[in-house]
Amino acid sequence: MAASVALLGCGAMAQLYAGLLQQQGITPLLLARPLTSTQQLSLTLELLDGNALQHTVTIQPSDMPAAVDAILVFTKAQQCLDAVAPLLSWLPNSTPIVLLHNGMGPQHQLAAQQPAHNIWVGSVSDGAQRLGQYRVAQRGLGTRVAGQLEQSTPALPSCLQALEFSQSDDITTVLWRKLSVNAVINPLCGRDRVANGALLAPKYQQEIAALCNEIVQLGQYLGMHESAAACQQRILAIATATAANRCSTLQDLDAERPTELPAISGYLLQQAQYFKLELHHHQRLYKQLTLLESVS
Ligand code: PAF
């Protein structure tokens, strides 16, 4: 039987990956709720090379059983647990569920709540921009990594291999590093309404360094040891690779949707509070963004 992979979420990243799966000869199936019947959607993906991929994808209610090889979850962090819930009654325990949202928190919650399910977590830093409801532009090639939170290391699900994910046996560190990227790029680009590449300008470097210092300081308490310089270098490398991208937070603000910042900056501040640390720069930035979100 030909491979089929279900995607949860219908945003820019879900549509980007639907196109990438299609290119690999894997049929994408969108799962959504609330939805009462199966429908066909015509999606367009503008690829980095300038070509456009047009394809038709089936979308069906997520509580309707489907024969799929894996589930890729591209909802926002705050929707992830609710989005996965309807699948759990019909999905075989062995079918990989791969959580790919920004931020941290839901990954550990789902793994703790559903120990019998085959849960993978990952980090992707592709750039994708929604140009219309069903039209998305690929804005940059990022890194793609996945792994399991426990120490066991089964082989990477085949759809992730086809999508050129690398496997990590220390995915917590990978998630932490991605969190640090999102905790700097997303609120800054959201606040100043700029594309990621704008952060390469000299005027941002002092603020980025201060944000990195605080991340690294908190990281020491969580066993995530690295220098502030390495943290800043990683963030600038992602800003370079996705320079043309308007980050997900900016896209959410533009569309007046809730951002993922509670699972990004909010998560950092929560952890800092636990260790009685003050992250002044993140706190101020998060407050500014919360205010922006409330008036947009
Ligand atoms: O949230 C995003 O937009 C992405 O995670 C990233 C890597 C910052 C690229 O825009």
Side-chain angles (χ1 to χ4, degrees), residues 60-71:
Q60 70 174 51
S62 53
D63 55 2
M64 183 187 279
V68 290
D69 300 326
I71 309 276

Side-chain angles (χ1 to χ4, degrees), residues 102 124-126 178 181-182 185-186 196 238 242 245 247-248:
N102 284 331
V124 293
S125 58
D126 299 84
K178 177 69 189 325
V181 169
N182 289 125
I185 293 184
N186 294 45
N196 298 355
I238 301 274
T242 60
N245 197 35
C247 75
S248 54

Side-chain angles (χ1 to χ4, degrees), residues 73-93:
V73 185
F74 280 109
T75 63
K76 298 283 176 198
Q78 60 270 30
Q79 295 151 354
C80 157
L81 297 179
D82 284 350
V84 168
L87 316 176
L88 297 172
S89 59
W90 59 263
L91 193 74
N93 285 353

Side-chain angles (χ1 to χ4, degrees), residues 44 66 73 76 111 172 182 194 288 296:
T44 304
V73 185
K76 298 283 176 198
T172 305
N182 289 125
V194 291
Q288 288 172 333
S296 68

